[in-house]
Amino acid sequence: MAHFLIVEARFYDHLNDMLIAGAQAAIEAAGHSAEVVTVPGALEVPGAIAMAADAGRYDGFVALGVVIRGETYHFEIVSNESARGIMALTMDGIAIGNGILTTENEEQAIRRADPAQLNKGGGAAEAAIAMLELRGRLG
């Protein structure tokens, strides 16, 4: 049984609750366990994963959050840099599923976050599990 850390950037409570529900259900369905930590925003997710990976208590990670386009360039910075940080960690062999949604509006975010619809939280957890299994097979 593997132990995962779900790192959530909590900004939209109702959306994050759906993402976490999907991720936890996928992890439990695969016979694993998880705990959740919250960071201020999507830019802090890679740093939190790096700290937790250094601690050695977790087998894999699920990054969750929602970034909805606004009127400024901030959307691009947050979307691109959080993804870049997560990708850099995966290149170091850390098993991560990226479930940080980047959407144009709340309607798109709801559709993606809802476990009864696109279930991107569950998909991110499944990706983390798959990467952990791959790392085990590759040694």
Side-chain angles (χ1 to χ4, degrees), residues 68-108:
I68 298 175
R69 184 180 300 279
E71 297 177 358
T72 68
Y73 183 67
H74 187 68
F75 172 85
E76 282 81 7
I77 292 170
V78 173
S79 300
N80 294 338
E81 292 302 312
S82 64
R84 185 195 59 77
I86 291 168
M87 182 58 67
L89 293 169
T90 64
M91 298 300 288
D92 289 337
I94 299 173
I96 304 172
N98 187 353
I100 298 178
L101 305 180
T102 54
T103 66
E104 296 293 323
N105 54 52
E106 186 176 357
E107 180 182 336
Q108 290 176 353

Side-chain angles (χ1 to χ4, degrees), residues 102-134:
T102 54
T103 66
E104 296 293 323
N105 54 52
E106 186 176 357
E107 180 182 336
Q108 290 176 353
I110 290 170
R111 186 164 183 261
R112 286 158 178 74
D114 187 349
Q117 295 185 54
L118 295 179
N119 192 21
K120 295 298 184 177
E126 290 165 354
I129 293 165
M131 293 306 290
L132 179 63
E133 291 171 354
L134 178 63

